[in-house]
Amino acid sequence: MIKKCLFDNYCGRDVWLYELSGEGIKVGITDFGAAVNYIKIAADGAERDVCIGFDDIESRLESATYCGATIGRVANRIGGGRFALNGREYDLPKNDNGNTLHGGTCGFDRKFFDAKVEGERLTLSLVSADGDMGFPGSLALSVRFSLCDRALNIEYEATSDEDTVWAPTCHAYFDLDGGRNIADTLLKINADCFMPVNAQLIPQGGLKSVVGTPFDFTSYKRIGESIDADDEQLRRGGGYDHNFVLNGGHAASARCESSGIGLDVYTDMPGVQFYSGNMMKGKARGGELLPRQAFCLEPQFFPDAVNNAQYASPILKAGETKRHFIKYEFSLNK
């Protein structure tokens, strides 16, 4: 079941929220930014919102969190805000320490999508024009949201009339107990290696084993257990803000003992960015946002992959259709 209601008015246009309902789960999605604004899980006779969201668009943008939004054209960072494709150099807006982050100064998180409801599925689509944020080619994107049991399925599909770069993600922030404190949340990531970064949070090249480091989440570990360890990588990110190299499609699992709510993340993309909300700020639904009140598990292509031929390629060829998916599956452990 999908309900539509007016959420806000931004830049003279109405912003609509679509609520998808299933057994024990409700998900609210806005057509501005194709953004997940809440995920309510029925637990202990009540609904618990496990996803950070906002009461209006201006508050979300002022927070600079990208909270819940569809990210594009390219998730994460492009080093130096430039890349080469087919012998041509492309310069992009630099919005993060001399790099391009999450598509630039006006990425997909800041765009209106067209909405179509088909039964129990919501499809949000847009066309990103040739030259949008410096990227080549006219890119047609659709993002399909649906529920199956307590799982939110997100399916991405894109095509372009020129060779271009495309690497999506969902930037949802999770708080599984609703208490705005993730330190005791148990996390497991299906990865033996992570990607060390330089001071600008660009991968330094190569992979590093998680064994013997604070980045070892190969078995369940509390997020707060090692987050303040004496480690140069943690200092650079202010906590966790790193790409993990996935061993398979079951990317990660998180569990909250106090609420009994669990989260499992699945994807066909090669990496997942674990971000511990180190720079959270602004006023969200429910009050002020502070660092480490929620965490992100963002399936993705590797950061700066367009500038590294050794990584899985984010290139979308002219006339080709590419598809990717993310599945956020919730469970009750009590």
Side-chain angles (χ1 to χ4, degrees):
M1 180 178 180
I2 299 179
K3 295 180 181 179
K4 176 184 176 181
C5 67
L6 185 64
F7 177 73
D8 196 6
N9 186 282
Y10 182 71
C11 291
R13 290 184 59 176
D14 287 339
V15 178
W16 296 91
L17 183 140
Y18 296 81
E19 183 180 83
L20 285 66
S21 298
E23 185 66 34
I25 184 172
K26 293 179 182 177
V27 179
I29 299 163
T30 61
D31 57 4
F32 183 82
V36 178
N37 196 49
Y38 59 78
I39 301 175
K40 298 177 181 179
I41 304 297
D44 294 330
E47 286 185 337
R48 191 183 296 263
D49 190 352
V50 298
C51 180
I52 300 295
F54 294 82
D55 292 323
D56 56 79
I57 296 300
E58 196 65 48
S59 295
R60 175 166 72 80
L61 296 180
E62 287 178 355
S63 76
T65 59
Y66 301 91
C67 198
T70 293
I71 301 298
R73 287 191 190 188
V74 176
N76 216 301
R77 296 170 175 87
I78 296 177
R82 64 173 62 91
F83 67 92
L85 180 61
N86 297 334
R88 178 179 171 183
E89 294 277 343
Y90 292 90
D91 289 312
L92 314 173
K94 299 176 180 64
N95 61 333
D96 182 71
N97 295 320
N99 306 307
T100 299
L101 175 65
H102 292 331
T105 52
C106 188
F108 295 168
D109 63 295
R110 292 174 174 261
K111 296 186 184 297
F112 283 91
F113 284 67
D114 295 322
K116 184 177 182 179
V117 175
E118 299 174 290
E120 301 299 313
R121 186 172 70 175
L122 170 67
T123 300
L124 297 177
S125 59
L126 63 73
V127 175
S128 175
D130 179 30
D132 183 16
M133 291 290 100
F135 292 98
S138 176
L139 179 107
L141 169 69
S142 65
V143 189
R144 299 182 183 93
F145 298 89
S146 62
L147 298 179
C148 182
D149 297 324
R150 283 196 181 89
L152 172 61
N153 297 296
I154 308 174
E155 302 168 276
Y156 304 91
E157 180 177 303
T159 186
S160 175
D161 62 357
E162 297 180 34
D163 289 1
T164 191
V165 190
W166 178 59
T169 196
C170 174
H171 211 306
Y173 286 73
F174 298 104
D175 170 20
L176 298 182
D177 75 350
R180 297 281 182 91
N181 185 349
I182 63 171
D184 287 333
T185 299
L186 295 165
L187 178 65
K188 181 168 66 174
I189 301 176
N190 183 21
D192 300 317
C193 297
F194 77 102
M195 301 179 73
V197 295
N198 63 20
Q200 287 73 47
L201 302 184
I202 300 296
Q204 295 175 314
L207 312 177
K208 183 175 181 178
S209 172
V210 300
V211 176
T213 78
F215 294 83
D216 191 347
F217 288 92
T218 51
S219 58
Y220 280 112
K221 181 173 75 173
R222 298 185 189 278
I223 290 175
E225 180 176 325
S226 306
I227 198 169
D228 292 315
D230 183 13
D231 180 272
E232 181 63 26
Q233 286 297 308
L234 290 174
R235 287 193 291 273
R236 288 177 177 177
Y240 297 103
D241 191 4
H242 295 75
N243 179 67
F244 287 72
V245 181
L246 295 176
N247 294 326
H250 188 176
S253 301
R255 300 286 182 267
C256 177
E257 293 175 324
S258 60
S259 70
I261 295 175
L263 167 64
D264 288 276
V265 183
Y266 301 85
T267 188
D268 62 344
M269 288 182 275
V272 65
Q273 187 85 1
F274 170 40
Y275 175 51
S276 51
N278 315 309
M279 304 298 290
M280 294 180 73
K281 62 179 182 179
K283 185 177 181 181
R285 185 177 57 252
E288 183 182 6
L289 284 178
L290 298 173
R292 301 180 183 175
Q293 288 187 333
F295 65 93
C296 300
L297 292 168
E298 305 161 64
Q300 62 179 10
F301 280 77
F302 296 170
D304 203 29
V306 67
N307 289 316
N308 290 277
Q310 61 183 315
Y311 301 154
S313 175
I315 302 301
L316 176 62
K317 293 288 188 180
E320 177 186 15
T321 298
K322 274 193 171 184
R323 299 176 181 87
H324 296 292
F325 80 89
I326 298 172
K327 178 180 179 181
Y328 293 117
E329 184 175 63
F330 297 90
S331 58
L332 296 179
N333 301 315
K334 281 189 176 180

